[in-house]
Amino acid sequence: MRRPAAAVLCAALLAGCAGAAGERPGPADGRAQDPARAVGDSRHLPPVVDHVPTRDPVVFLTYDDGAERDPRFVGLVRERRLPVSMFLTDSVVGPGYGHFARLRAVGASIQNHTLDHPALRGLPYAGQRAEICGQQHKLRSRFGISPRLFRPPYGTYDTTTLRAAADCGITAVVLWRASLDAGGELTYTRGEPALRAGDIVSVPSGETGSLTLTERTERLLREIGERGLRVGRLEDHLADHLEDHVESRLKDRLKDRLKDRLERTPGRRAAGN
């Protein structure tokens, strides 16, 4: 059971949690840059994650764009009860929102991947906000939801992206540590080239290759099983991680305030306290 700070967390999440803000460039090839370190005052910026610290033997499957609408994939998600996350781009999905409504009905979550899939890094605030908030409005009108997770196209972003995302109601910017290629093989952005608990895996759609989205996912599921892992729901584990993060920051702030108050109390310093 969570501690009382969870009540504070709810307000913090709605405003956008504090986290790692960054301006490090990443290659525009569908792979993410490493989550960047904090830049300046990041109290109102959402965190950037490609891995969720967890003791549970889980990894997280995320699907980008929405170009590939393999009807068998809906059956796979339903039969295996896969809690996958779909990051959708409006201009890519086009008339295919019905397919994703069916996926949502069998347990998939729907998240934000911009209106038109531009590389956001370096664009002015107004343009970035229009891309992110515009897709928030689209998804709200289509599904009646306001996604809390956002993936920047190509994994590139800057502090302006994080500001715009926070202003659009985003609580976390989601990158990935592993990516599945068209042949069903995993590549890694950093660290050990093997799946480990807490990894976020990106499965791009519309890849040209001999394997369908369903076949690539089935191959990935076998590898996940061989590693002694299973598929977890990203939103749930990320919420726990953010709650712990916020509680830690709250404790640090309380300590700082208490220390400052003690130092300002008359006679404390004179008494050697």
Side-chain angles (χ1 to χ4, degrees):
M1 185 174 182
R2 285 289 168 184
R3 296 176 289 277
V8 181
L9 170 71
C10 294
L13 287 179
L14 290 175
C17 286
E23 292 188 344
R24 292 177 57 188
D29 63 353
R31 299 182 186 180
Q33 69 233 50
D34 289 350
R37 296 293 179 258
V39 175
D41 184 357
S42 61
R43 286 175 296 177
H44 302 296
L45 300 181
V48 181
V49 296
D50 67 355
H51 177 93
V52 182
T54 179
R55 296 180 179 179
D56 293 337
V58 296
V59 295
F60 310 105
L61 299 191
T62 64
Y63 293 77
D64 292 353
D65 306 338
E68 190 172 352
R69 296 184 282 276
D70 181 355
R72 292 189 302 155
F73 184 67
V74 178
L76 177 66
V77 171
R78 181 182 62 250
E79 292 165 10
R80 302 288 291 270
R81 297 183 178 180
L82 297 177
V84 299
S85 301
M86 316 298 296
F87 288 84
L88 301 184
T89 296
D90 182 69
S91 62
V92 176
V93 175
Y97 275 103
H99 172 80
F100 295 99
R102 290 188 289 275
L103 274 170
R104 183 167 179 261
V106 298
S109 77
I110 303 297
Q111 305 297 341
N112 190 324
H113 196 41
T114 70
L115 281 174
D116 298 309
H117 208 272
L120 295 176
R121 187 179 189 276
L123 295 181
Y125 171 83
Q128 297 204 40
R129 190 179 190 280
E131 282 288 337
I132 301 170
C133 286
Q135 182 64 342
Q136 291 287 87
H137 295 321
K138 286 280 187 179
L139 295 175
R140 189 178 303 119
S141 66
R142 295 281 186 172
F143 302 109
I145 60 173
S146 295
R148 294 301 182 187
L149 305 184
F150 169 68
R151 171 165 287 165
Y154 313 107
T156 61
Y157 66 95
D158 54 20
T159 51
T160 301
T161 311
L162 304 187
R163 285 177 49 223
D167 291 344
C168 295
I170 297 299
T171 59
V173 173
V174 179
L175 304 184
W176 59 93
R177 197 183 80 87
S179 180
L180 195 70
D181 64 23
E185 300 296 328
L186 285 169
T187 59
Y188 296 85
T189 61
R190 64 183 180 88
E192 179 187 3
L195 281 177
R196 62 190 187 195
D199 278 347
I200 298 173
V201 182
S202 169
V203 184
S205 67
E207 297 280 2
T208 57
S210 59
L211 300 177
T212 66
L213 184 63
T214 300
E215 291 168 338
R216 296 201 306 276
T217 301
E218 288 173 335
R219 179 176 292 190
L220 176 57
L221 291 174
R222 287 194 293 271
E223 182 166 350
I224 290 171
E226 290 169 358
R227 299 284 298 180
L229 302 168
R230 56 184 172 80
V231 180
R233 184 173 294 280
L234 176 60
E235 294 78 3
D236 294 345
H237 285 76
L238 191 52
D240 289 343
H241 171 61
L242 293 179
E243 182 171 338
D244 290 340
H245 176 77
V246 169
E247 288 182 356
S248 176
R249 290 182 64 87
L250 286 172
K251 288 178 181 178
D252 289 342
R253 289 180 187 177
L254 288 173
K255 288 179 182 177
D256 289 342
R257 288 178 181 177
L258 179 59
K259 180 180 178 182
D260 182 65
R261 181 172 297 178
L262 288 173
E263 290 178 348
R264 291 172 181 270
T265 301
R268 298 292 291 184
R269 283 174 289 182
N273 293 326

